[in-house]
Amino acid sequence: MATKVIYDKSKGLDEKPFHYCPGCGHGIVHKLIAEVLVELGVLDKTISVSPVGCSVLAYDYFNCDGVQAAHGRAPAVAIGLKKACPDKIVFSYQGDGDLASIGTAETVHAAHRGDNTTIIFINNAIYGMTGGQMAPTTLIGQKTSTSPFGRSKKNCGLPIKVVEMLAQVPSSHYLERTSVHDFANIRKTKAAIKKAFQTQIDGKGFSMVEILSPCPVGWGIAPIKAMDFVKEQMMPYYPLGVYKDNGELTKLSGGEK
């Protein structure tokens, strides 16, 4: 007789249903974070910091303590929490509009100080919650509500590469870019998230995982096409891989310079 396998929802997640759009990657990443916190045995000592953006209600979903931060200020709030409660595991969960635009300074200086916190950074190349505007990570030629003819290099410059930038900061410890566009990469993303949290548990310093994620509604395409967009359009400019490990550079920037 075949063994019956029952898939249970992670105890790291609350019972409240996600509000995210069909095909959005946030739900996948939430699940991975929740599983990792349970597997590492730190769920009851973890504090999440929610951003302003599509995941503004993340504190409703993780079954741990949570704090809401102003737009872009999640790293600063996370650092304050970690300084006040050094025995806690503190992470901020941020999108590209929150982290790579208004919150760039907070992020860079957290890495510069080597603060022992973790950032989970969702890069979907667009402002998802506020109407699909162009983000600092929007690709050249990509159409948004504020770049209807496509992002122009001449007018807007090249999309920012956050992991590559932070890899140049001497005190950053562990940096990796992953994706959730298929099952193999979802597994790799979970491993990266676990390593980032383990970095904090071991007291080694600043860690961040940048995750390429689909936004079908913001991009105006079907969910399956959105997965293809991540692979075919985003990954060539935002190459996956470990960019810094144990404080040492392990990968150079790829894509258009």
Side-chain angles (χ1 to χ4, degrees):
M1 181 180 294
T3 302
K4 186 177 181 181
V5 178
I6 299 176
Y7 179 81
D8 291 326
K9 186 174 184 178
S10 172
K11 291 181 174 59
L13 291 173
D14 209 335
E15 293 301 317
K16 189 169 183 177
F18 292 146
H19 73 279
Y20 301 117
C21 303
C24 172
H26 281 302
I28 298 173
V29 181
H30 283 15
K31 169 182 174 291
L32 300 180
I33 293 172
E35 291 177 349
V36 164
L37 293 176
V38 171
E39 291 169 12
L40 291 175
V42 296
L43 180 64
D44 61 344
K45 58 183 294 185
T46 297
I47 305 173
S48 68
V49 183
S50 301
V52 172
C54 290
S55 52
V56 66
L57 301 176
Y59 55 79
D60 274 343
Y61 306 133
F62 294 116
N63 200 12
C64 62
D65 289 332
V67 175
Q68 174 66 56
H71 198 193
R73 313 308 180 210
V77 173
I79 292 159
L81 288 165
K82 188 69 176 182
K83 297 290 187 183
C85 307
D87 60 320
K88 301 294 184 182
I89 301 302
V90 184
F91 76 97
S92 62
Y93 183 99
Q94 300 175 257
D96 43 8
D98 182 88
L99 181 146
S101 183
I102 193 171
T104 310
E106 284 77 5
T107 304
V108 170
H109 285 285
H112 174 66
R113 289 188 300 268
D115 288 317
N116 191 35
T117 55
T118 300
I119 296 177
I120 306 300
F121 167 41
I122 307 301
N123 179 357
N124 57 19
I126 203 167
Y127 279 88
M129 182 183 75
T130 55
Q133 297 92 344
M134 185 183 73
T137 51
T138 298
L139 299 174
I140 297 299
Q142 185 177 347
K143 295 181 179 180
T144 70
S145 61
T146 52
S147 59
F149 301 107
R151 177 175 181 155
S152 163
K153 177 181 176 180
K154 178 180 178 181
N155 293 331
C156 305
L158 291 170
I160 190 170
K161 294 183 175 184
V162 174
V163 167
E164 287 88 334
M165 175 177 65
L166 296 182
Q168 304 304 316
V169 177
S171 298
S172 58
H173 191 86
Y174 170 66
L175 303 165
E176 183 168 358
R177 180 183 290 125
T178 65
S179 175
V180 290
H181 74 280
D182 61 21
F183 293 126
N185 281 284
I186 288 172
R187 288 194 293 270
K188 291 178 182 178
T189 296
K190 181 175 179 179
I193 292 171
K194 179 172 282 189
K195 186 167 183 175
F197 278 113
Q198 189 64 57
T199 295
Q200 183 178 166
I201 292 169
D202 295 340
K204 293 181 177 179
F206 181 87
S207 60
M208 187 181 79
V209 181
E210 175 181 345
I211 304 169
L212 305 185
S213 177
C215 181
V217 173
W219 297 345
I221 56 179
I224 293 178
K225 291 292 185 182
M227 297 297 186
D228 293 337
F229 183 88
V230 172
K231 179 180 180 180
E232 298 168 4
Q233 303 296 323
M234 293 188 72
M235 283 173 53
Y237 187 79
Y238 297 114
L240 308 185
V242 179
Y243 282 76
K244 205 166 191 180
D245 193 5
N246 202 31
E248 299 294 331
L249 286 169
T250 57
K251 183 181 177 71
L252 296 177
S253 176
E256 183 179 359
K257 300 296 195 309

